[in-house]
Amino acid sequence: MIATALGSFAGTGMAATIRAVLGVFPDRAPLPELPDRGPHASMFARTMCLLEDLPFDRQPAGWRLSLGPSILARRARRTLLDDIDVLAENIDDWPGRLTITTMGPWTLSACVDLPRGGRSIGDPGARRDICQAWGAALDTHLAWVRRVIGAPVAVQIDEPCLGQVLTGVIPDESGRHSLPPVEEPEVRDALGAAIAQAKAAGGDIVVVHCCDDELPLGVILDSGADAPSIDTAVLRGSSWDRLAQWCQQGRQAWLGVVPTHQMEAGSAFMTRQREEVCSRLELDEQEREALVLTPACGLAGVERSVAWRSLAELAKVARG
């Protein structure tokens, strides 16, 4: 059993954060995200800046597709490329496998408005364009990352809004009403196409992360992902049974066993969480080896010293 983190951290120093994450996680580690550096360093901007045919900007009301390139988009792309260069300078002797995190196409669609107003998620043509542009952009991006670091990479597709898309709770532009849900077959098929594109682009494994309270576990497992990345605290009833079937087939699962608000709980708590999850899933020793322990979500809101101390404890708990 191994442990890893899910991408975002507090602070603004990329070189120091990269060295820390590679030091704590010898098996698998993400290219960090540091949203404290500003909107251009957010998960949304770091993904959207790769979609060259869909320029965007940030307005007082939030993210919006634009009619031409923006300074923020150019800054986001430059920052991301600089971060990859910093990673390449620090990864030479590291023995593990890197994870590239990217916001998934459904959450992108849920977070960005159309140029003349209205949510992209509410426009079938717009969300189709975003899904298609996402796949093409990821292909180019992964090729670049693999060339710079000289090694295969995993892909983590972050879809925190997936449950909201399916249940129809995303507000419209006015905020007074909710947009209709997107039908499950459309969501599943588009997510499956995104996963297939990530694999074709060179992702050695593709993981779908969702920490939504209304976790659509079935959609994730049926989409072709190599592993779900989930907050175990939101699993209910039949979801435990479905996940158990998945894990008992020897398939990988990334399990968020430490809530971000309990990162100071300590190794004894983490060990209990690990054992409780394995017991609920009825896993034998061999099946446990396919598990990856993680925090429930990103750690951008967790004080740095707390986060790194807790991540080191989580790595030890996973090993033994």
Side-chain angles (χ1 to χ4, degrees), residues 9 28 237 273 278 320:
F9 300 90
R28 187 172 294 282
Q273 292 288 94
C278 289

Side-chain angles (χ1 to χ4, degrees), residues 124-197:
R127 61 189 188 232
R128 183 172 57 249
D129 289 345
I130 289 173
C131 288
Q132 292 174 350
W134 183 93
L138 187 68
D139 184 73
T140 302
H141 181 54
L142 286 189
W144 170 254
V145 174
R146 294 180 67 189
R147 185 163 58 248
V148 170
I149 70 170
V153 297
V155 179
Q156 175 185 312
I157 301 176
D158 285 320
E159 286 283 15
C161 294
L162 197 60
Q164 299 172 44
V165 169
L166 286 161
T167 55
V169 297
I170 294 174
D172 64 9
E173 193 175 27
S174 72
R176 295 191 296 270
H177 307 285
S178 295
L179 295 170
V182 182
E183 295 296 325
E184 183 174 312
E186 180 184 350
V187 173
R188 184 181 58 247
D189 291 349
L191 183 59
I195 292 166
Q197 289 167 320

Side-chain angles (χ1 to χ4, degrees), residues 4-177:
T4 191
L6 297 176
S8 65
F9 300 90
T12 59
M14 180 55 70
T17 304
I18 286 175
R19 287 192 292 269
V21 76
L22 297 182
V24 169
F25 299 114
D27 302 293
R28 187 172 294 282
L31 172 66
E33 300 163 3
L34 300 178
D36 286 348
R37 294 182 293 181
H40 68 285
S42 67
M43 179 171 60
F44 176 90
R46 286 166 77 83
T47 302
M48 200 69 193
C49 72
L50 302 173
L51 281 59
E52 296 181 356
D53 294 334
L54 292 176
F56 71 99
D57 203 349
R58 185 170 175 83
Q59 303 296 324
W63 299 106
R64 178 167 291 188
L65 297 174
S66 61
L67 300 178
S70 66
I71 294 175
L72 187 147
R74 288 195 292 267
R75 188 180 181 193
R77 186 171 180 82
R78 182 68 263 163
T79 299
L80 178 57
L81 295 178
D82 287 345
D83 290 349
I84 294 169
D85 288 340
V86 174
L87 173 71
E89 295 170 0
N90 288 276
I91 204 172
D92 283 346
D93 299 325
W94 183 66
R97 186 61 52 87
L98 181 72
T99 303
I100 295 298
T101 61
T102 176
M103 182 177 279
W106 286 111
T107 299
L108 284 182
S109 298
C111 291
V112 66
D113 291 345
L114 298 167
R116 292 178 177 156
R119 303 291 190 192
S120 294
I121 194 68
D123 185 312
R127 61 189 188 232
R128 183 172 57 249
D129 289 345
I130 289 173
C131 288
Q132 292 174 350
W134 183 93
L138 187 68
D139 184 73
T140 302
H141 181 54
L142 286 189
W144 170 254
V145 174
R146 294 180 67 189
R147 185 163 58 248
V148 170
I149 70 170
V153 297
V155 179
Q156 175 185 312
I157 301 176
D158 285 320
E159 286 283 15
C161 294
L162 197 60
Q164 299 172 44
V165 169
L166 286 161
T167 55
V169 297
I170 294 174
D172 64 9
E173 193 175 27
S174 72
R176 295 191 296 270
H177 307 285

Side-chain angles (χ1 to χ4, degrees), residues 257-319:
V257 295
V258 188
T260 54
H261 66 277
Q262 290 183 274
M263 289 299 292
E264 289 187 275
S267 58
F269 169 81
M270 296 177 191
T271 300
R272 288 195 302 273
Q273 292 288 94
R274 180 197 65 192
E275 291 306 306
E276 179 179 339
V277 167
C278 289
S279 176
R280 290 288 299 269
L281 297 175
E282 299 181 345
L283 303 182
D284 61 30
E285 288 301 318
Q286 185 174 359
E287 291 161 348
R288 288 183 177 210
E289 292 178 3
L291 300 183
V292 178
L293 301 186
T294 73
C297 205
L299 302 177
V302 179
E303 199 275 324
R304 285 181 60 86
S305 63
V306 171
W308 291 113
R309 183 171 61 252
S310 300
L311 290 174
E313 291 175 344
L314 182 64
K316 291 179 182 178
V317 167
R319 291 194 296 268

